[in-house]
Every structure is written in structure tokens, then in C-alpha cells.
Amino acid sequence: MKVFSQIKKNLKNDFSNLKAIKVAILGDSATQFLNQAIRGLGYDKGFDLQIWEADFNQIELQVTDPNSELYEFEPEIIIIFQSSHKLLGKYNKLKVDYQSNLAASEMHFLSNMVDTISSQSKAKIIYYNYTEIDDAVFGNYSGKIELSFLYQLRKLNVELMHFASGVANFYLCDLSTIQNQLGKSNFFQTSVYINTEMVLSIDALPYVASRTIDIIAAMQGKFKKCVILDLDNTTWGGIIGDDGIENIQVGSLGIGKAFSEFQYWIKKLKNRGIIVAVCSKNTESVAKEPFEKHPDMVLRLDDISVFIANWENKADNIRQIQSILNIGFDSMVFLDDNPFERNIVRENIPEITVPELPEDPSEYLEYLYTLNLFETISYSNEDTERTKLYQIEAQRATVQQKFTNEEDFLKSLDMVSLVEPFNKFNKPRVAQLSQRSNQFNLRTVRYTDDDIDTLMTDADTHTCAFTLEDKYGDNGLICVIILKTESAETLFIDTWFMSCRVLKRGMEHFVLNTMVNFAKENGFSILKGEYIPTAKNDMVKGHYEGLGFHQVDGFWELDTNNYNQKITYITKK
């Protein structure tokens, strides 16, 4: 983690080629250094965070006035920081009879504030939760009496989680965990607060800014999707080829406990939807043996989407994993105990994240916790099925190698697709795919659940969600189209994004056929598309041209009346 002085140096850099995002910061204490830390770290993540900062303790004034500077700024993201120290000040001034209602009162105020913001702005809200302060008035009894400040503060944090789970566009940034990791003496310095109204210490600023940027990056579709594991001395202790299955260290005894707990963490990531792959210098049959036979192994082969064990260069093997998964290298994390292997991978694949694991395996987890590598802003039932989907994809890739003719391979898949408008059942997956899709995304417009509700009721908007299933399994919802009526003749392709899992199966032809048929049925003679380049979607730069569209005034147009249906081996369900 960079220190604050290093982060400040980024402010002198050229931000002009970075993605611009308008961010407002509202705080009840001084936030000017937090502003600098967030903007400076944003540079490292590829963002030009154009920040407007309210004067401290002006939150209510800025939110409730529809003509305030906040709304004139038109932020895309609003960060709200209401500190525990100001909360304690409110508590201290309350009559005793009202102190046990502090959490409920604050939640009522917050709910009204979020409603007001939502009525004036489409901005997403990042809200910092409350770090713990124990005023020691009741001692340990504070956990038993609702009147105590600590009871109210903890209750407020719990209520915040309940609130956030039910409100779209509202995200919690967990300051409480950061204080636990750093220690309160490092997170908050009394003398600084008394003299400057600054709650966060200089040492804490990089950590708070980093967690904030993690959420902003996830909002922009930048997050980790895959963890790649080395095996020997990373997933278990010892070297399987030398020590044998009976002598590797895993289980409840000694250092084996550290590796078991590490595996439990990986298992939880897998259950959350993170793809788990293996990249090991080993004989494959030997490397797989612990997964199949060791009684204390937490991870099993069915937890692994892609398993590569050989004696080749690890960077090349990771490239093979990437080709199977069809995700960006910057979506991957590689965990390996060996500094030499880590450096080889970093030098050859600079986009991949390669943490510098501690020498002592017992410290792996605490170190990885601090990195917050797997930030997300969404979760759906389909996430839990992701490992199976990618295992099936690896199976498809293996089978494809047996076909000399791609057409024969596609025919053999027996592919079918369900095509339907957005509805309450597919809406969560549509929103999630909108946030996740970066490479096959023609305009890279992100949609929340609320945005999709609006699209579903707009008479001039036409939506399509596509699933894809074949003889190996169901890929689920993999493509989204949003069409908008531009004129009596022209139908504009507002959005076209697709999961990279299904590339090279003719899905784009099937989708185009579907769009043209819809256009003809509804009297549109022109299908109009647009490509907006980003750092990640270069793969679809020539998409419209390749499908037969012609460039007109910076857009791409297709005459539906002279369109010949594309050959595809996908059947409509």
C-alpha cells in the first residue's frame, strides 16, 4: 500500500487519457485529505475522479436543497462520511430517555436522505459505516443495555447492512474493518481530530481510499473473477512429488491448519462465484491425487474449473487458462509461494495481480484479507454455478480439439436459446451482466436494477435477453440487447453485450438475425449501431463492419430489407 505522500504525487500526473467519473464527497468532518487520497489512488486504477467536495458538516444542507452545488455538479457517485465521533457528539447531547433511540433516529434520517438524493439524482451512493468507539460508561455491560453508546453504534451498523441489502445504488464501505486491521491508534489520532476536525489519520487515508476505489472500480466493471492456485507450499504444505500424499501438510495439526484454512477461504470464494483454477509444475496425475484421495483436503476437483499441471512455463500455462475462460488477465489473481515464479508471471503478464505472499504460510490469510482482492457490487444465484459452467467450457474446449471442422463442432453442440424481454426473473442477471461485461460490450453502458425497471416500462424501448444451452450444459443468460426507437424507420442498438464464455459459437449471428426479424416485424428499415471504444472492448472494434453494417456519420447502419439471414447452428427455444 502506498503511503499518503506517494499518493499525493499522482495528483501531478496527466489524467486526460483516463476514464472521467464525477464524484461528490459529503462529510461531517474535514475531508480534504481524503479527497486527495481518493483522486490520487484513482489514477493508479485508470480513473480521472473529478471530485467536488462539500464544506464539512454540510451534508443535510446539500442534500435537501434541490438547487445546491451538489446537484449542480451532477455527480455519478456520492460518497457520504458521517463519523462515529460526530455520532458520539449527538449522543452526548441527547436526554437520557432518547439515547436508546439513536440508531433508529439515524436510520430514519439516512433513509430520508437517500430518498431525497434519488429524487434529484441518478448518482450511486457510497456510505462509510461506523468505526467503534467505546466510551466505557457501562464497561462490558454496554453489550447488554440498549442505552449505551456502543450498543447503539453496533445496532446502527447492523441496520445499515439491512438497509443496504434492500436499496439499489447504495453501497457500504467498511471503515470498521479497516480500523480493526490497522488498530484504532493508527486509524484515529486524537490531537489531529481536536485541532483539524480530521477523523482519519494520515496513515489510514490510503486504506480508506483504496476500499473506496475498490467499490468505484467494481461499479465500472473492474473486478477480479478468477483465482489461480499454485499447489506445493501454497495450497498444501510440502511437495507432493517428493513427499507423497501421506506426508503433505493439510488438516488440523501444526502448519497443516494454515493450509486448511486457506483452502476454506478459496472454497468460499468459489461458492461466491469466483473461478478457481490450478497452475502447477507437476505431473498431472500426481497433482490431482490429494484432491481425489487425501481425507483432509477441503478443495476437491469439482471445485476447480481449469486444472493445468505440467512442467511448462507458468506464464504460458496461465495464458492457456485465460484462453479457456475468455476473461481478461486483469480479472485474474495468481497465488504462488515461490518468488521466482511470481516474478516470471508478473514480467510476462503484467496485467495479472500477483500478491507478494508472506514467507510464513500461517500469515497468508491475514495478508490476503487486507488486499480486498475480490470486491463486488452484486451477487446472484448464477454466481454459485460459475465453477460448473467453466468446467463445462473446459470440456467443450477439449472436445473441440478433436474436430478438424469448426462447422461440424458447432453442429454437434445442439445449441438452443431462449429469447425473451426483460422480466422480474431475468432482471438481476441482466443488471449483473451489465456490470461485468467489458470485452464484448459495444457501448459499455451500465444498468442497475432501477434502470432496468425504467427500460421495461418505456414504450420506445425494446429489450431482449438471450440464454444459451447445449448438450454439455446450460450457460444461463449470456447476452443482452436494448433497442430504442430513434425514428419511424430507425431502430437504434442502445446496448449489445455478451458473455465471453460463448464466443465463437455463432451467437452474434443468431442475435443479429433476431434483431433484424424484430425490426422488420415492426416496420423498421434501418438498424443503427454504435461502437464506443474503451480500454477493454477493442475485440469488438470491427464487430458491426464484420456483420455487414456500413458506416454513416460515425455510426453503423444495416438495411433490414436487404438483409440475408446469417448461418447459425443455434435453435430458438
Side-chain angles (χ1 to χ4, degrees):
M1 180 68 69
K2 287 183 175 180
V3 298
F4 182 62
S5 59
Q6 294 172 314
I7 293 171
K8 279 185 69 177
K9 291 179 181 178
N10 279 353
L11 300 176
K12 299 177 181 179
N13 294 336
D14 181 9
F15 285 73
S16 60
N17 293 321
L18 305 183
K19 180 175 177 58
I21 304 172
K22 296 175 77 173
V23 178
I25 298 179
L26 307 175
D28 60 9
S29 54
T31 55
Q32 59 267 37
F33 286 166
L34 176 63
N35 175 341
Q36 294 174 2
I38 290 174
R39 179 162 169 77
L41 269 185
Y43 178 86
D44 288 339
K45 289 282 190 176
F47 299 130
D48 173 13
L49 300 179
Q50 300 172 354
I51 299 177
W52 172 82
E53 179 189 5
D55 293 336
F56 82 85
N57 219 15
Q58 297 291 308
I59 298 174
E60 187 172 4
L61 179 65
Q62 291 291 337
V63 168
T64 55
D65 180 3
N67 299 312
S68 69
E69 296 168 275
L70 170 67
Y71 298 123
E72 285 182 11
F73 178 64
E74 296 183 340
E76 298 165 65
I77 298 168
I78 298 173
I79 297 169
I80 300 176
F81 179 19
Q82 300 201 107
S83 67
S84 300
H85 295 81
K86 294 292 184 180
L87 187 69
L88 179 58
K90 289 182 185 179
Y91 174 88
N92 290 341
K93 294 173 184 177
L94 290 173
K95 293 181 179 179
V96 174
D97 291 346
Y98 292 96
Q99 287 177 338
S100 59
N101 291 321
L102 178 68
S105 175
E106 289 299 306
M107 285 307 305
H108 180 71
F109 172 74
L110 174 62
S111 179
N112 288 338
M113 184 165 58
V114 171
D115 287 343
T116 302
I117 291 172
S118 299
S119 69
Q120 300 289 332
S121 168
K122 290 187 176 180
K124 298 176 175 67
I125 299 170
I126 297 175
Y127 193 89
Y128 292 167
N129 73 355
Y130 295 87
T131 56
E132 290 204 354
I133 300 174
D134 183 1
D135 61 5
V137 171
F138 286 94
N140 288 306
Y141 194 71
S142 62
K144 293 187 69 172
I145 182 166
E146 201 166 2
L147 181 66
S148 75
F149 176 70
L150 187 60
Y151 189 110
Q152 288 298 308
L153 188 149
R154 288 174 173 170
K155 181 180 179 180
L156 180 55
N157 272 340
V158 171
E159 291 299 324
L160 270 174
M161 290 190 287
H162 287 307
F163 180 78
S165 67
V167 179
N169 292 342
F170 182 88
Y171 306 94
L172 288 176
C173 184
D174 193 359
L175 259 60
S176 182
T177 289
I178 299 174
Q179 178 173 286
N180 290 341
Q181 290 172 339
L182 297 181
K184 187 176 179 182
S185 60
N186 295 317
F187 188 90
F188 171 78
Q189 293 171 351
T190 308
S191 60
V192 174
Y193 173 63
I194 295 297
N195 292 308
T196 67
E197 282 284 341
M198 200 171 83
V199 172
L200 303 173
S201 73
I202 293 295
D203 292 338
L205 285 170
Y207 295 89
V208 175
S210 179
R211 282 295 179 102
T212 307
I213 296 293
D214 287 343
I215 298 173
I216 294 173
M219 290 175 178
Q220 303 301 314
K222 285 188 171 185
F223 44 77
K224 306 304 179 188
K225 301 177 183 178
C226 173
V227 58
I228 304 173
L229 303 175
D230 172 52
L231 296 181
D232 293 333
N233 290 314
T234 302
T235 301
W236 55 65
I239 301 172
I240 185 65
D242 295 338
D243 301 330
I245 188 172
E246 67 277 3
N247 293 316
I248 61 170
Q249 295 165 310
V250 63
S252 58
L253 299 176
I255 197 62
K257 183 176 181 180
F259 291 105
S260 288
E261 291 185 350
F262 173 78
Q263 288 189 34
Y264 274 115
W265 184 67
I266 297 295
K267 183 96 167 184
K268 289 187 292 185
L269 288 174
K270 173 256 179 180
N271 291 339
R272 202 209 85 183
I274 299 300
I275 306 160
V276 181
V278 163
C279 177
S280 173
K281 281 190 174 177
N282 255 310
T283 301
E284 182 175 316
S285 60
V286 174
K288 285 184 174 180
E289 193 176 10
F291 293 90
E292 296 169 327
K293 299 178 181 178
H294 199 294
D296 294 325
M297 283 287 289
V298 176
L299 294 173
R300 297 296 176 181
L301 286 181
D302 59 6
D303 295 314
I304 313 299
S305 292
V306 182
F307 196 111
I308 294 182
N310 56 37
W311 300 100
E312 302 300 321
N313 181 289
K314 284 194 176 181
D316 290 339
N317 283 337
I318 289 173
R319 290 190 183 98
Q320 185 180 347
I321 291 170
Q322 187 272 338
S323 70
I324 292 171
L325 298 177
N326 267 323
I327 60 175
F329 287 117
D330 62 346
S331 299
M332 295 176 160
V333 175
F334 176 55
L335 300 180
D336 194 314
D337 71 296
N338 189 320
F340 176 80
E341 299 290 359
R342 293 198 296 259
N343 288 329
I344 287 288
V345 171
R346 285 193 193 106
E347 289 173 8
N348 285 276
I349 312 175
E351 306 96 322
I352 197 169
T353 297
V354 186
E356 196 69 11
L357 287 178
E359 290 186 15
D360 185 349
S362 65
E363 297 177 2
Y364 285 177
L365 278 186
E366 288 300 324
Y367 167 70
L368 290 168
Y369 292 163
T370 66
L371 300 184
N372 191 39
L373 292 168
F374 299 98
E375 184 65 62
T376 186
I377 59 166
S378 64
Y379 177 76
S380 73
N381 290 334
E382 189 162 327
D383 289 326
T384 63
E385 297 295 320
R386 188 161 284 115
T387 292
K388 184 178 178 181
L389 292 173
Y390 281 104
Q391 285 173 333
I392 292 170
E393 187 54 41
Q395 186 180 357
R396 286 191 193 98
T398 302
V399 172
Q400 185 173 5
Q401 294 174 1
K402 299 177 182 178
F403 284 86
T404 57
N405 186 295
E406 185 177 358
E407 184 177 310
D408 291 340
F409 169 68
L410 293 176
K411 286 179 181 177
S412 76
L413 291 177
D414 300 328
M415 294 180 285
V416 292
S417 176
L418 174 65
V419 184
E420 57 184 354
F422 296 173
N423 55 51
K424 64 180 180 180
F425 299 107
N426 61 33
K427 183 179 75 170
R429 174 59 177 159
V430 169
Q432 186 187 53
L433 196 57
S434 164
Q435 299 298 327
R436 285 180 171 273
S437 298
N438 295 302
Q439 293 176 283
F440 197 117
N441 199 331
L442 275 301
R443 298 181 74 240
T444 318
V445 180
R446 310 290 185 190
Y447 293 103
T448 65
D449 285 4
D450 285 350
D451 296 329
I452 293 166
D453 283 335
T454 302
L455 293 171
M456 288 165 61
T457 57
D458 183 0
D460 291 326
T461 299
H462 319 280
T463 63
C464 280
F466 297 77
T467 68
L468 186 63
E469 185 178 351
D470 62 30
K471 68 180 182 181
Y472 293 106
D474 189 351
N475 290 279
L477 194 154
I478 48 81
C479 180
V480 169
I481 294 291
I482 299 172
L483 305 171
K484 293 193 175 181
T485 301
E486 186 171 290
S487 69
E489 293 128 11
T490 304
L491 196 58
F492 179 61
I493 307 171
D494 171 84
T495 294
W496 187 347
F497 54 77
M498 193 164 79
S499 169
C500 290
R501 287 204 310 267
V502 297
L503 289 177
K504 298 181 180 179
R505 293 194 218 159
M507 192 66 197
E508 60 271 33
H509 290 166
F510 179 80
V511 171
L512 181 57
N513 289 345
T514 303
M515 283 195 290
V516 170
N517 290 340
F518 175 84
K520 286 182 175 180
E521 290 167 6
N522 290 274
F524 296 102
S525 57
I526 296 173
L527 202 56
K528 181 177 177 181
E530 182 183 24
Y531 166 68
I532 300 177
T534 69
K536 286 192 171 186
N537 72 352
D538 189 65
M539 68 175 292
V540 291
K541 181 178 182 180
H543 180 69
Y544 284 122
E545 185 176 13
L547 291 175
F549 286 67
H550 300 284
Q551 196 163 25
V552 180
D553 297 329
F555 292 88
W556 294 92
E557 293 186 358
L558 182 73
D559 182 351
T560 62
N561 293 320
N562 294 316
Y563 176 77
N564 294 318
Q565 292 278 304
K566 301 287 185 185
I567 296 174
T568 178
Y569 300 101
I570 302 170
T571 304
K572 195 169 183 179
K573 197 170 183 178

